[in-house]
Amino acid sequence: MDTVEIKIIKLDDFGRGIGYYNNKIIFINNALPDEIVSVKITKDTKKYYEGVKVNYISKSNKRIKPLCPYYEHCGGCNLEHLTYIDQCNYKLDKVKNILKKFSNIDINLDIVKNDSIYNYRNKIELKINNYNWGYYNNKTHNFIKIDKCLLANKYINKVIENKDLFNIKNGSITIRSNYLNEILIIINTNDNINIDINKLESIINLKGIVVNNKVYYKDDYFIDSINNYKFKVHYNSFFQVNLNIINKIIDYISLYAKGDTLLDLYCGVGILGQSISNNFNKIYGIEIVENSIKDAIYNAKLNNIKNTKYIVGNTKNLIYKIKDNIDTIIIDPPRSGLVNSTINDIINLNARNIIYISCEVTSLARDLNILKNYYNIKDIKLFDMFSNTYHVECVCILSLR
């Protein structure tokens, strides 16, 4: 199809420009309001088009030049063509609109900013394609080769810079680092492995390598640190990717999370509950990933915390087994949020306070639409956990009516 000229009206919830063509909405990456963009249409459905930018006929005065050389093609970042202030304002408007649309919540919001919008990630996942490392372009399987990622810290980038030492033709690799700058590498591949360990160890502080869920070299975990607490983290355990922001979140929730008994749902390796353990007499944690629960139990001993009990399994199958009176519940679910049965079980616990943490505001708004019938919303604060992307962490404080 020939290119068409589109006037961009606003941004959608994924940071894409929105315009109209033939009386249908069209979504265009890397386009800003008030820009006129020459667009090639790549997808045509009954309700909408998708297109890619060919060139800018007129540019917004808010547009800046991205630092990342792969930005036009990679898809890992979405907002790097905006100043950081404009990124934060976009996220505030986006969350406010979604809360109003899906749960009729109208509340003043503010956002806690990231101290560094680059090199903040302690974990990235890359594809390996014909010995090259990179990302798939957004919503496609078009491989984009990279030599560095500006969002990842410099120790992770050292691994990427030395990818030739791995001799892997196809597969995927996850690179994690901790507060000591130790590197844990997780590889999935059908190739025979022949990694130059000696050379690699001369470049990075290598903690371990796991290949296809089996230890290939040294360890399958490391110890990380948050707010002076230490946490053992297995290779497949969830851990926050931005330590600067999670420290700020913990400081914030500690103002509200107080009482006799805490229930920490989707607790991972125990970061949140253990970081505020002095505020409670007893803490229960539930998590479906077995390695995470093993880590949480270990971490309680590591941090000399004696008031925790951890249970492995699905939250909706286990929550009814908690017989204690619960003062506070922390909820940090996956992006999909809660299922209705779990929400009902949470409501039935009659806890005085709920702290709901979410990186997906649409599922948060859906769940709040139910919870608000039983709880007052005291505050919602945004934390810019994922700078240069459309994602944002939301922390909602609820109190029983």
Side-chain angles (χ1 to χ4, degrees), residues 96-355:
K96 189 174 181 67
N97 292 335
I98 290 174
L99 290 173
K100 180 66 176 176
K101 178 179 179 181
F102 292 102
S103 55
N104 198 30
I105 294 171
D106 194 356
I107 189 171
N108 290 327
L109 300 171
D110 63 2
I111 186 167
V112 176
K113 295 180 175 62
N114 196 357
D115 290 349
S116 176
I117 67 171
Y118 294 104
N119 306 121
Y120 62 84
R121 288 191 65 99
N122 59 24
K123 173 186 175 182
I124 64 169
E125 302 174 25
L126 299 172
K127 305 298 180 184
I128 305 175
N129 186 336
N130 197 26
Y131 297 103
N132 293 311
W133 294 9
Y135 294 107
Y136 284 149
N137 183 269
N138 192 31
K139 293 187 177 180
T140 75
H141 281 81
N142 298 327
F143 178 79
I144 308 298
K145 174 183 175 293
I146 69 164
D147 295 313
K148 69 186 299 184
C149 176
L150 293 185
L151 299 192
N153 69 42
K154 66 179 181 179
Y155 302 97
I156 290 175
N157 276 308
K158 280 187 178 181
V159 179
I160 300 173
E161 291 165 8
N162 291 276
K163 60 182 177 294
D164 292 345
L165 300 178
F166 289 79
N167 301 304
I168 298 172
K169 185 175 183 180
N170 294 295
S172 64
I173 184 166
T174 298
I175 311 166
R176 307 182 72 157
S177 69
N178 66 1
Y179 78 116
L180 295 174
N181 304 318
E182 295 173 322
I183 294 292
L184 185 61
I185 296 171
I186 304 98
I187 298 166
N188 287 286
T189 183
N190 292 323
D191 296 350
N192 292 323
I193 299 295
N194 182 27
I195 300 171
D196 190 338
I197 295 290
N198 291 334
K199 184 68 179 294
L200 191 60
E201 287 202 310
S202 71
I203 296 167
I204 61 168
N205 188 356
L206 182 61
K207 187 68 169 71
I209 300 175
V210 176
V211 178
N212 298 332
N213 295 310
K214 295 181 179 179
V215 175
Y216 175 83
Y217 180 70
K218 290 174 74 173
D219 297 317
D220 62 354
Y221 71 93
F222 55 39
I223 303 294
D224 218 329
S225 179
I226 293 176
N227 271 9
N228 297 317
Y229 289 87
K230 297 296 190 291
F231 296 97
K232 182 179 182 181
V233 185
H234 265 92
Y235 72 97
N236 64 343
S237 292
F238 172 79
F239 199 75
Q240 298 289 351
V241 300
N242 186 332
L243 297 192
N244 170 253
I245 291 295
I246 192 59
N247 279 323
K248 295 181 179 184
I249 290 175
I250 290 168
D251 288 343
Y252 173 66
I253 68 173
S254 66
L255 301 174
Y256 299 94
K258 298 176 182 179
D260 183 67
T261 306
L262 170 70
L263 177 58
D264 188 4
L265 300 180
Y266 312 93
C267 66
V269 300
I271 297 171
L272 298 176
Q274 292 186 30
S275 295
I276 57 173
S277 58
N278 289 336
N279 291 2
F280 294 91
N281 292 320
K282 188 183 295 184
I283 296 172
Y284 290 96
I286 297 177
E287 166 63 49
I288 197 169
V289 179
E290 185 174 1
N291 269 349
S292 292
I293 285 293
K294 289 179 179 178
D295 290 344
I297 294 170
Y298 180 92
N299 293 334
K301 295 178 182 177
L302 184 64
N303 291 308
N304 196 29
I305 297 171
K306 300 177 180 179
N307 60 344
T308 59
K309 181 176 182 180
Y310 290 102
I311 309 168
V312 63
N314 195 315
T315 292
K316 66 185 179 68
N317 296 332
L318 294 176
I319 193 171
Y320 72 94
K321 292 186 176 181
I322 307 296
K323 302 302 182 183
D324 292 44
N325 291 324
I326 304 297
D327 293 298
T328 300
I329 303 173
I330 293 178
I331 307 168
D332 190 4
R335 290 187 186 278
S336 56
L338 303 171
V339 296
N340 284 346
S341 59
T342 305
I343 293 179
N344 291 333
D345 288 334
I346 289 171
I347 291 168
N348 289 336
L349 289 174
N350 213 36
R352 289 189 294 109
N353 300 295
I354 292 177
I355 298 171

Side-chain angles (χ1 to χ4, degrees), residues 23 45 47 59 154 237 243 283 341 351 366 371 373 390:
N23 296 317
T45 73
K47 293 184 177 181
K59 292 185 178 181
K154 66 179 181 179
S237 292
L243 297 192
I283 296 172
S341 59
R366 179 202 65 209
L371 290 170
N373 295 315
Y390 63 80

